[in-house]
Amino acid sequence: MHQATNAAGTADAAPRAASPRVIVIGCGMSGILMGHRLRQAGIESFTILEKAATLGGTWRENTYPGIACDVPSHNYTYTDEPNPGWSMVNSGGAEIQGYLERSAIKHGVLEHVLFNTEVARATWQGDAWSLETRDGRTLVADIVISATGVLHHPAFPDIPGLDDFSGAKFHTARWDHSVNLEGKRVGIIGTGSTAAQIIPALMDQVGRFSIFQRTAQWIFPLQNRPYRESTKRLLQRFPILTRWLYRWHAFWLEELFSKAVVGGGWRHRLLSWKCRRNLAQVKDPVLRRKLTPDYEPGCKRLIFSGTFYEAMQKPNADLVTEAIERIEPRGIVTRDGRLHELDVLILSTGFKADRFMRPMEMVGEGGLKLSDAWREGPSAYRSLAVPKMPNFFMLIGPHSPIGNLSLITIAERQADYIMKCIATIQCRRVAMAPKPAAVARLLADMKQAAARTVWSSGCQSWYLDKNGVPGIYPWAAGRFLREMKL
Ligand code: NAP
C-alpha cells in the first residue's frame, strides 16, 4: 500500500482515538473474518453492518439443491478455526453456513453486528467517513472495510417474454423452496458451476429436465465423498492432521490449478487431459459433441463435478443447445421454432460480478464518487484500496485471485494486510489511500499479464471486463501470497 497523507495524495487526518472506529460492511465469510482479526488486535470499537437479518453472505443466500463448495472443506476453512467435523471432502452449503455461524459466535463477532442495516452512502468528511443507512441512520467511522463479496447480485437474462412465463420461476440465488418439483417439467437456463450442482441433485426427482445450454463447459472430475467417523475422530484427536489437509489441498490449488490457468505448460495440458477424459464417459456421440466446448479448459471458470455427465445421460435429461428466442407463458421457444413446455423455470444465469459494494455510493476526497472512479470498470490497488477513498479497504475486491485459491485464504491474507494498514493509521495518525499512479502502473502490468492467461484464450466469462480483459489476478497464487506479506 502506498500509504500516508500528502505524499499519497490523500487527506490530512485529524488526531484519532487510540482505537479507531471501524465499520465493516457485510457479515459473510470475509466480514466475520475481519471482525475476528480486529478483535485479535484488541480493537473492539468496530461494527459490522449487515443488510440481511442473518449472517453468512453467499451461504445464506444460496440454498439451491446440491449446493456445496467445490473447494475442499479443509481448505475452505479459517486457518485458526479448523473443523475436524467436516462431513464431506466438499461439504454442503448448510454445513458451511453452520460453520460460519459458529465461528462468529465463538470469536465474539456476533455482538458487533447490526443486522437489517444496509448502507446507502458513505461520504469522506475530511477526517472520517459518514455512513447513511437506507433506513435513515448516520454512523461515523475512521476506517471503512467493505466485505460485501463478489457474486451476490443475481444476473437475470435479457430474454423477451421472461416475465410472461406462467409457471414458477426463480433465480438460483433466490431458490423458492415452496415449489414442488416432483415429476414436473423443469427447465434450467445456464450450465455454469451452479447449474452443474443443481442438475445432478434434481435429475431423479423431476419429470423432464430441459437444460438450456448456450455454451458448453469443461468439467474437471471431482469425486466428492463423505469422511468416515473414524477419520473425523482422528482429525479431532490430532489437530496437526487438519492443518496438513489444509496445506495438501492448498498445494493442489496453487501448484496445479492456479499455475495451469495463468502459466499454461504441462499443468494446463494435464488439466485439459483430465477434462477431456472426463467428457469421454458420455457414450452417445451426439450428446458428447453437444457437451464439447470449443475453447480451452480453464478459459471459463472450471466446473468441478463427478456427477454432471452421469445426470446428463439419464433418460429424462433434455439438453437444448438451440438458442433461446423467447419465453412465453407455456415455456421456452428456441430459434428452431420449438416450444419446450415447462412447469418450472430456473434461472442459473450467474451474477453481476462487477458490482462489489454497489449500489452503495461512496464519495471520497474532493467529492469523487466511486461510481465515477469505476466508470470504466472496478479497479483497486492490490484489490484492497482505491485512490481518493482514504481509509477505505476491501476484502475480495477487484482483481482478487478468485480463480486461483480458496476465497478464505484470499480474504485472510487481505485481512492481514488491512490490519497492517490499520496499525499504521493508528500509530502515525494518517489517512491512507493508494496513489493513482501506483494503481495505473499495476493495472497496466495486470493487463499485460492477463493477455497470457488461459482466460484470454477466446471465450466469454464473468472473469472478463467489458473490454474482454480478465479482471482477476493474472499471476500465480504464490505471488499474491508473497505480496500480501509486504
Ligand atoms: P455462471 O458461471 O456465470 O454461469 C451462468 C450460465 O448462464 C452460463 O452457462 C451462461 O451461458 C448462462 N446464461 C447467462 N445468460 C444467458 C442467456 N441470456 N441465455 C442463455 N444462457 C445464459 O454462473 P453460476 O453458475 O451461478 O456461477 C457463478 C460463479 O459462482 C462460478 O463461476 C463460481 O465462481 C461460483 N460458484 C462456486 C461454486 C463453488 O462450489 N465454489 C458453486 C457455484 C458457483 P454462457 O456460458 O454462454 O455465458
Side-chain angles (χ1 to χ4, degrees):
M1 170 74 66
H2 289 252
Q3 47 105 353
T5 50
N6 299 328
T10 67
D12 283 316
R16 308 177 182 281
S19 193
R21 295 162 296 179
V22 182
I23 285 183
V24 179
I25 304 174
C27 196
M29 174 279 287
S30 56
I32 296 167
L33 163 74
M34 200 67 233
H36 183 32
R37 286 288 185 276
L38 287 163
R39 292 207 68 227
Q40 283 175 320
I43 298 174
E44 295 289 344
S45 49
F46 73 94
T47 306
I48 302 180
L49 305 180
E50 168 55 57
K51 69 178 177 188
T54 50
L55 56 76
T58 199
W59 302 106
R60 175 197 64 224
E61 292 187 3
N62 288 276
T63 58
Y64 57 80
I67 183 167
C69 184
D70 58 15
V71 172
S73 297
H74 282 287
N75 189 236
Y76 193 83
T77 301
Y78 297 124
T79 42
D80 50 6
E81 190 59 30
N83 178 21
W86 286 122
S87 67
M88 307 280 291
V89 173
N90 299 89
S91 300
E95 195 174 342
I96 298 170
Q97 171 72 8
Y99 169 78
L100 295 179
E101 287 169 4
R102 285 197 307 282
S103 301
I105 293 168
K106 179 173 169 191
H107 298 299
V109 172
L110 197 59
E111 40 270 47
H112 287 267
V113 188
L114 274 184
F115 289 106
N116 300 309
T117 306
E118 184 175 354
V119 182
R121 192 179 170 89
T123 310
W124 178 249
Q125 306 281 17
D127 62 349
W129 286 97
S130 169
L131 287 84
E132 294 158 45
T133 65
R134 291 241 176 261
D135 58 5
R137 280 174 285 167
T138 302
L139 298 108
V140 176
D142 301 309
I143 295 164
V144 172
I145 301 168
S146 166
T148 53
V150 195
L151 301 169
H152 62 282
H153 294 289
F156 290 88
D158 187 14
I159 300 175
L162 182 62
D163 292 335
D164 300 339
F165 182 64
S166 61
K169 174 185 88 218
F170 46 84
H171 190 277
T172 54
R174 303 282 180 270
W175 197 269
D176 185 345
H177 291 276
S178 70
V179 176
N180 178 11
L181 300 171
E182 197 71 43
K184 298 276 168 57
R185 297 167 302 178
V186 177
I188 187 165
I189 302 179
T191 49
S193 303
T194 303
Q197 293 183 336
I198 292 171
I199 292 164
L202 287 183
M203 191 58 80
D204 291 338
Q205 187 188 338
V206 304
R208 196 189 66 228
F209 209 165
S210 302
I211 294 111
F212 294 86
Q213 171 189 283
R214 186 166 65 182
T215 313
Q217 302 266 1
W218 284 113
I219 306 208
F220 190 90
L222 172 96
Q223 298 313 329
N224 196 9
R225 56 181 171 76
Y227 281 112
R228 290 199 198 103
E229 286 308 314
S230 55
T231 307
K232 288 191 243 173
R233 278 198 300 276
L234 205 65
L235 294 173
Q236 179 84 47
R237 185 138 178 234
F238 301 105
I240 193 166
L241 293 177
T242 53
R243 282 199 288 279
W244 183 84
L245 272 177
Y246 179 95
R247 281 301 322 147
W248 170 253
H249 292 304
F251 173 80
W252 283 108
L253 275 177
E254 289 165 29
E255 287 304 313
L256 179 61
F257 294 104
S258 160
K259 288 187 179 168
V261 286
V262 299
W266 68 265
R267 292 178 180 85
H268 189 260
R269 286 196 293 280
L270 175 64
L271 190 134
S272 302
W273 176 75
K274 291 281 283 180
C275 291
R276 287 177 210 280
R277 210 172 71 136
N278 192 29
L279 177 64
Q281 71 178 275
V282 178
K283 298 278 175 291
D284 175 0
V286 177
L287 179 63
R288 194 168 60 239
R289 201 172 326 114
K290 283 179 168 184
L291 288 168
T292 305
D294 60 359
Y295 55 85
E296 286 294 313
C299 183
K300 280 170 172 293
R301 202 270 199 189
L302 211 54
I303 292 175
F304 296 83
S305 174
T307 50
F308 178 75
Y309 289 137
E310 189 189 326
M312 294 303 295
Q313 294 178 85
K314 298 247 167 136
N316 59 332
D318 177 21
L319 179 64
V320 183
T321 52
E322 197 68 38
I324 296 173
E325 189 170 275
R326 64 178 191 280
I327 296 176
E328 58 175 55
R330 286 184 298 155
I332 293 182
V333 179
T334 42
R335 207 168 282 165
D336 54 2
R338 188 174 151 206
L339 168 67
H340 305 259
E341 289 193 57
L342 302 172
D343 304 309
V344 180
L345 176 58
I346 302 167
L347 305 173
S348 189
T349 42
F351 299 86
K352 296 176 190 161
D354 64 346
R355 299 282 85 202
F356 294 96
M357 62 289 229
R358 295 176 286 180
M360 165 187 150
E361 182 60 285
M362 295 199 68
V363 185
E365 225 187 324
L368 178 72
K369 290 184 176 164
L370 188 74
S371 49
D372 289 332
W374 282 5
R375 184 146 290 158
E376 291 305 308
S379 62
Y381 179 75
R382 292 192 172 174
S383 308
L384 293 162
V386 182
K388 307 273 182 204
M389 300 287 160
N391 291 359
F392 168 69
F393 303 98
M394 291 173 286
L395 288 162
I396 319 285
H399 331 302
S400 288
I402 44 182
N404 301 353
L405 275 175
S406 159
L407 273 196
I408 295 194
T409 308
I410 299 169
E412 284 192 335
R413 298 291 82 79
Q414 293 176 334
D416 292 343
Y417 195 110
I418 292 171
M419 288 312 300
K420 281 186 257 175
C421 295
I422 292 179
T424 305
I425 290 167
Q426 215 175 336
C427 85
R428 290 176 53 189
R429 302 188 170 194
V430 291
M432 286 178 104
K435 291 177 182 171
V439 178
R441 250 194 330 267
L442 203 67
L443 289 181
D445 287 352
M446 279 188 31
K447 197 170 168 183
Q448 239 180 18
R452 294 191 291 268
T453 65
V454 69
W455 305 315
S456 300
S457 62
C459 68
Q460 268 306 317
S461 85
W462 64 263
Y463 286 170
L464 306 181
D465 66 18
K466 64 179 181 188
N467 301 315
V469 178
I472 59 174
Y473 192 80
W475 296 289
R479 175 169 168 162
F480 165 79
L481 298 173
R482 283 194 300 280
E483 282 175 356
M484 288 296 102
K485 279 192 184 145
L486 296 179

